[in-house]
């Protein structure tokens, strides 16, 4: 009985703490085409080393600086409009995967299309990662996994 009362108070304290944390309000800010997104369909998002958000949509990329969106699309040099994957490598290059398997890269504000010359028709790029020796790995929806070595192809 001597130990029951402190344990009971401790249990009531825990229950009270839990109920307060469950009822907290969360504020969400919504952005849409009206705010500057190129499309309401957002496929991927990353934050780069300068804290910009790169938002991949079905109609290009929206680069967000915290105040406004900058549109990057085929008119700027991207291989395709529909963005399905974005990745920033260790050299601060932005790699972009597209719906029909094309690849783009943004390096120091210069956009280039990466041509894959092995004759395989790649499908939707689903993910992009970099390994410890600098190879850029791409996964695709229908054609598995492949990599690109930027040092050998510069």
């Amino acid at each position: 009985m001597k130990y029951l009362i402190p344990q009971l108070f401790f249990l009531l304290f825990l229950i009270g703490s839990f109920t307060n944390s469950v009822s907290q309000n969360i504020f969400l800010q919504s952005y849409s085409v009206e705010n500057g997104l190129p499309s309401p369909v957002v496929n991927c998002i990353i934050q780069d080393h300068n804290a910009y958000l790169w938002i991949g949509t079905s109609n290009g990329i929206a680069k967000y600086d915290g105040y406004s969106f900058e549109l990057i699309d085929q008119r700027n040099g991207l291989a395709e409009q529909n963005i399905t994957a974005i990745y920033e490598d260790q050299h601060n290059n932005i790699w972009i995967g597209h719906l029909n398997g094309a690849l783009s890269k943004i390096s120091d504000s210069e956009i280039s299309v990466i041509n894959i010359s092995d004759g395989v028709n790649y499908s939707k790029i689903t993910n992009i990662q970099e390994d410890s020796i600098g190879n850029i790995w791409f996964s695709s929806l229908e054609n598995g996994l492949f990599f690109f070595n930027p040092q050998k192809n510069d």
Side-chain angles (χ1 to χ4, degrees):
M1 183 80 163
K2 177 178 167 181
Y3 296 107
L4 182 61
I5 293 176
Q7 290 174 349
L8 183 60
F9 281 118
F10 181 72
L11 182 61
L12 289 173
F13 171 77
L14 286 178
I15 292 171
S17 297
F18 176 72
T19 56
N20 286 340
S21 65
V22 173
S23 65
Q24 292 180 353
N25 292 328
I26 298 174
F27 175 75
L28 296 175
Q29 176 68 43
S30 177
Y31 293 97
S32 65
V33 174
E34 290 79 23
N35 302 108
L37 280 176
S39 167
V41 179
V42 174
N43 298 318
C44 52
I45 184 169
I46 68 161
Q47 186 173 28
D48 72 10
H49 70 284
N50 288 320
Y52 290 109
L53 291 178
W54 296 75
I55 304 159
T57 76
S58 62
N59 199 27
I61 293 176
K63 182 179 173 186
Y64 184 63
D65 63 5
Y67 301 100
S68 62
F69 295 97
E70 174 190 349
L71 174 63
I72 303 168
D73 61 14
Q74 279 184 300
R75 292 173 290 193
N76 302 103
L78 290 180
E80 296 176 25
Q81 288 291 92
N82 203 331
I83 311 302
T84 56
I86 307 173
Y87 179 77
E88 182 181 28
D89 70 16
Q90 63 184 323
H91 302 290
N92 303 329
N93 298 308
I94 303 293
W95 294 87
I96 301 148
H98 299 276
L99 181 65
N100 294 317
L103 300 170
S104 300
K105 180 177 91 168
I106 302 176
S107 180
D108 297 324
S109 299
E110 183 178 316
I111 301 173
S112 57
V113 174
I114 306 301
N115 293 314
I116 303 169
S117 60
D118 62 4
V120 175
N121 290 326
Y122 292 101
S123 64
K124 174 183 174 181
I125 305 299
T126 56
N127 198 1
I128 305 170
Q129 293 294 313
E130 181 178 19
D131 65 22
S132 62
I133 60 172
N135 293 319
I136 306 297
W137 291 82
F138 305 91
S139 62
S140 68
L141 187 61
E142 298 173 1
N143 296 96
L145 185 65
F146 57 101
F147 75 92
F148 176 80
N149 185 318
Q151 289 79 26
K152 289 184 180 178
N153 292 286
D154 282 341

